[in-house]
Amino acid sequence: MTKLIITCAITGAEVTKVMNPAVPYTIEELQEAAFGACEAGASIIHLHAREDDGSPTQNSNRYKKIIKAIQEKCPDVIIQVSTGGALGMSRQERLSPLELDPEMATLDCGTLNFGGDEIFINTENDIIHFATAMNQKNVKYELECFDKGHVDMALRLYRKGFIKAPLHFSFVLGVTGGMTGEARDFMFMKDSISEGATYSVAGIGKYEFSLAELSIKHGGHVRVGLEDNIYIEKGKLASSNRELVEKAVEIAKSYGREIASPNEARDILKMRK
Ligand code: KMH
Ligand code: ZN
């Protein structure tokens, strides 16, 4: 089976130190979190920027400093910047990190209820706008899909020529308002993508490791990290992103699945420029 690509979503935009004190905010904390995750086996860091007080930002200068700090300690790692940012941010704000010509970025493929009155807005025109900007800069995108309709949208925009192959999907399952992280929903998502496409799965909260295991078993890839889940096991907070990656590595080992290095991940995702 193909080697396993582990992405670590080290901080996100919504999770806070109040929920888990290990959530990194400062440049030093983000550097340390990325380093720990990479040492444990992550080849991709899914990155949101935060200010020192934890507020989420898409400011490209802040991203630049964080990326520089991460690359000092993990020179090979693939940095995947978020263009989802935080709820309520404008298109323009969300796209700011593209100014840095990142190697990889997320491309969110549909609108979703996010609990309470929150809505994560990604209209068809937003997706086309983001995809066009990334195509111009030859940025590898990860197609983030929180729902089956998002996969269909990505495939439709692929057929129309706005989204380019090779397609790499990320199924983010278990968000309030999106598809659940039950095995049935994972199978439906993975069976819906096109021939030759690759996928990774990010299980939110309690779904993180059950979905990681399913994906490992079925030849998919995995995302873990404090953005998605703050617990190492039921009722016990994770001490670090490293610990979450280590747990994914243990599961992979139990299935005889080897872990991809960053360069092997680049080959698997066909992202050499
Ligand atoms: N923070 C969420 C609203 C992404 O990184 O592209 C969106 C998100 C998706 O995290
Ligand atoms: Zn994110």
Side-chain angles (χ1 to χ4, degrees), residues 9 12 46 48 82 85 106 144 223 227:
H46 169 76
H48 288 253
S82 169
T106 55
E144 285 216 5
R223 177 173 115 178
E227 173 172 349

Side-chain angles (χ1 to χ4, degrees), residues 44-49 58-60 63-64 66-67 70 78-85 94-108 134 139-142 144 223 227:
I44 302 179
I45 298 296
H46 169 76
L47 186 65
H48 288 253
Q58 289 295 94
N59 182 292
S60 58
Y63 266 96
K64 193 174 183 175
I66 298 166
I67 291 170
I70 293 175
I78 299 167
I79 296 184
Q80 177 195 88
V81 299
S82 169
T83 65
R94 284 171 52 182
L95 274 177
S96 304
L98 285 198
E99 288 165 22
L100 304 172
D101 294 331
E103 186 175 15
M104 193 174 193
T106 55
L107 175 56
D108 292 282
M134 292 186 211
V139 176
K140 173 76 180 180
Y141 26 74
E142 178 172 271
E144 285 216 5
R223 177 173 115 178
E227 173 172 349

Side-chain angles (χ1 to χ4, degrees), residues 2-201:
T2 327
K3 287 190 181 181
L4 178 70
I5 301 171
I6 300 177
T7 299
C8 188
I10 55 177
T11 188
E14 283 83 21
V15 68
T16 66
K17 280 188 192 291
V18 175
M19 300 171 188
N20 183 331
V23 173
Y25 294 163
T26 68
I27 294 173
E28 294 71 28
E29 287 170 350
L30 288 161
Q31 180 189 48
E32 193 47 41
F35 181 61
C38 295
E39 269 206 330
S43 49
I44 302 179
I45 298 296
H46 169 76
L47 186 65
H48 288 253
R50 318 228 6 187
E51 300 293 354
D52 287 352
D53 67 0
S55 39
T57 176
Q58 289 295 94
N59 182 292
S60 58
N61 282 329
R62 184 72 176 178
Y63 266 96
K64 193 174 183 175
K65 288 181 192 154
I66 298 166
I67 291 170
K68 184 167 174 280
I70 293 175
Q71 286 175 333
E72 270 167 21
K73 289 205 130 191
C74 328
D76 292 339
V77 74
I78 299 167
I79 296 184
Q80 177 195 88
V81 299
S82 169
T83 65
L87 295 170
M89 286 180 171
S90 69
R91 252 191 204 176
Q92 205 184 345
E93 200 176 359
R94 284 171 52 182
L95 274 177
S96 304
L98 285 198
E99 288 165 22
L100 304 172
D101 294 331
E103 186 175 15
M104 193 174 193
T106 55
L107 175 56
D108 292 282
C109 293
T111 295
L112 195 79
N113 278 323
F114 242 66
D117 288 327
E118 304 284 9
I119 307 178
F120 183 35
I121 297 177
N122 296 285
T123 65
E124 182 181 25
N125 286 346
D126 288 335
I127 304 163
I128 293 170
H129 183 78
F130 280 44
T132 306
M134 292 186 211
N135 291 339
Q136 276 164 2
K137 290 184 167 266
N138 200 16
V139 176
K140 173 76 180 180
Y141 26 74
E142 178 172 271
L143 303 163
E144 285 216 5
C145 298
F146 298 72
D147 201 75
K148 166 66 163 55
H150 298 183
V151 173
D152 298 333
M153 173 65 89
L155 293 175
R156 206 166 74 79
L157 295 182
Y158 166 62
R159 287 192 296 273
K160 288 183 142 195
F162 293 110
I163 288 177
K164 312 282 182 196
L167 303 182
H168 178 57
F169 288 86
S170 173
F171 308 138
V172 184
L173 301 182
V175 172
T176 307
M179 279 172 76
T180 78
E182 299 299 324
R184 170 204 61 188
D185 288 0
F186 163 79
M187 297 304 282
F188 189 30
M189 294 293 263
K190 99 171 174 55
D191 291 343
S192 302
I193 61 176
S194 47
E195 188 82 28
T198 49
Y199 69 89
S200 178
V201 69

